[in-house]
């Protein structure tokens, strides 16, 4: 956190008037993220080489989970992107499994022109400290990018009576 804060300050000195939208804060985002950002206000979220928490009992501490994906979806605007990269194949597979099964995210294919031209994909693979370390050690990097998709429930009025009172209510997704 301190390294990133100092890097932002240095960049602001180098290029006055720039980097005003960058900041860093040491906090527990797993608990407080929606308290810091209004609904739909974030365009990109990055999870670069997070702690894999290998032990099964620590899997709930992973930064990508069903519950946390819902919180990320809350702060991300429709069309915004969630980026993940790791050098641990098992963790990458976990990220993909959780994100693929979440109704508010769709994967952008790795070979798509969109990702080939996305400077963020290149940056997280080659410009992060951890990415450079993995490269120096000859390791593999696994990444996935997801788009936040819109979700709206169509509301329709149901006339409840004795015959349909216990019927399930169908929610339609647009």
């Amino acid at each position: 956190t301190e390294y990133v804060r100092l890097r932002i300050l240095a960049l602001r000195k180098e290029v006055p008037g720039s980097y005003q939208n960058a900041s860093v804060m040491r906090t527990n985002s797993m608990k407080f993220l929606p308290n810091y950002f209004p609904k739909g206000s974030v365009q990109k979220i990055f999870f670069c080489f997070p702690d894999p928490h290998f032990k099964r009992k620590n899997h709930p501490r992973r930064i990508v989970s069903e519950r946390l994906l819902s919180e990320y979806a809350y702060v991300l605007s429709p069309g915004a992107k969630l980026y993940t990269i790791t050098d641990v194949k098992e963790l990458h597979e976990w990220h993909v499994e959780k994100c693929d099964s979440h109704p508010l995210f769709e994967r952008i294919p790795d070979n798509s022109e969109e990702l080939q031209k996305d400077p963020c994909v290149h940056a997280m693979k080659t410009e992060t400290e951890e990415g450079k370390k993995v490269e120096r050690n000859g390791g593999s990097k696994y990444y996935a990018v997801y788009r936040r998709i819109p979700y709206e429930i169509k509301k329709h009025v149901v006339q409840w009576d004795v015959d349909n009172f216990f019927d399930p209510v169908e929610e339609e997704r647009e």
Side-chain angles (χ1 to χ4, degrees):
T1 307
E2 184 63 9
Y3 171 80
V4 175
R5 186 185 73 77
L6 294 173
R7 189 78 181 108
I8 292 168
L9 290 175
L11 288 168
R12 287 178 181 167
K13 273 187 172 180
E14 286 177 26
V15 188
S18 294
Y19 301 99
Q20 298 305 309
N21 66 342
S23 184
V24 64
M25 179 186 304
R26 185 168 174 82
T27 187
N28 186 340
S29 64
M30 293 171 80
K31 287 185 179 179
F32 303 118
L33 185 70
N35 296 333
Y36 294 118
F37 299 100
K39 181 179 181 178
S41 65
V42 176
Q43 292 299 311
K44 296 176 182 178
I45 292 180
F46 296 87
F47 298 111
C48 299
F49 304 96
D51 188 333
H53 293 291
F54 287 112
K55 293 181 181 175
R56 187 173 186 82
K57 70 176 185 175
N58 290 329
H59 284 184
R61 294 182 180 170
R62 288 182 169 173
I63 197 79
V64 173
S65 67
E66 292 91 347
R67 181 184 62 80
L68 290 172
L69 282 168
S70 293
E71 293 199 19
Y72 305 146
Y74 176 83
V75 299
L76 286 168
S77 63
K81 294 178 184 171
L82 181 144
Y83 296 79
T84 68
I85 186 167
T86 181
D87 58 335
V88 179
K89 188 170 176 98
E90 175 194 332
L91 183 61
H92 170 71
E93 291 167 353
W94 170 280
H95 290 166
V96 169
E97 175 194 337
K98 300 303 176 199
C99 291
D100 280 353
S101 66
H102 197 282
L104 294 178
F105 290 99
E106 67 181 0
R107 186 163 186 188
I108 302 171
D110 296 344
N111 60 356
S112 69
E113 186 177 339
E114 179 181 4
L115 289 191
Q116 300 302 318
K117 293 181 177 181
D118 189 335
C120 295
V121 171
H122 175 74
M124 72 178 183
K125 286 168 46 177
T126 62
E127 301 301 323
T128 62
E129 291 300 314
E130 193 67 25
K132 290 176 183 178
K133 184 173 117 182
V134 171
E135 191 71 32
R136 277 193 308 272
N137 294 333
S140 298
K141 293 177 253 184
Y142 309 97
Y143 73 94
V145 181
Y146 286 83
R147 185 182 335 277
R148 162 68 162 84
I149 56 177
Y151 182 78
E152 294 182 26
I153 296 174
K154 290 182 181 177
K155 296 183 180 184
H156 57 282
V157 178
V158 177
Q159 280 297 40
W160 297 107
D161 59 30
V162 177
D163 296 324
N164 70 358
F165 186 76
F166 290 104
D167 291 350
V169 176
E170 290 187 28
E171 294 178 356
E172 297 179 26
R173 195 169 137 202
E174 286 186 349

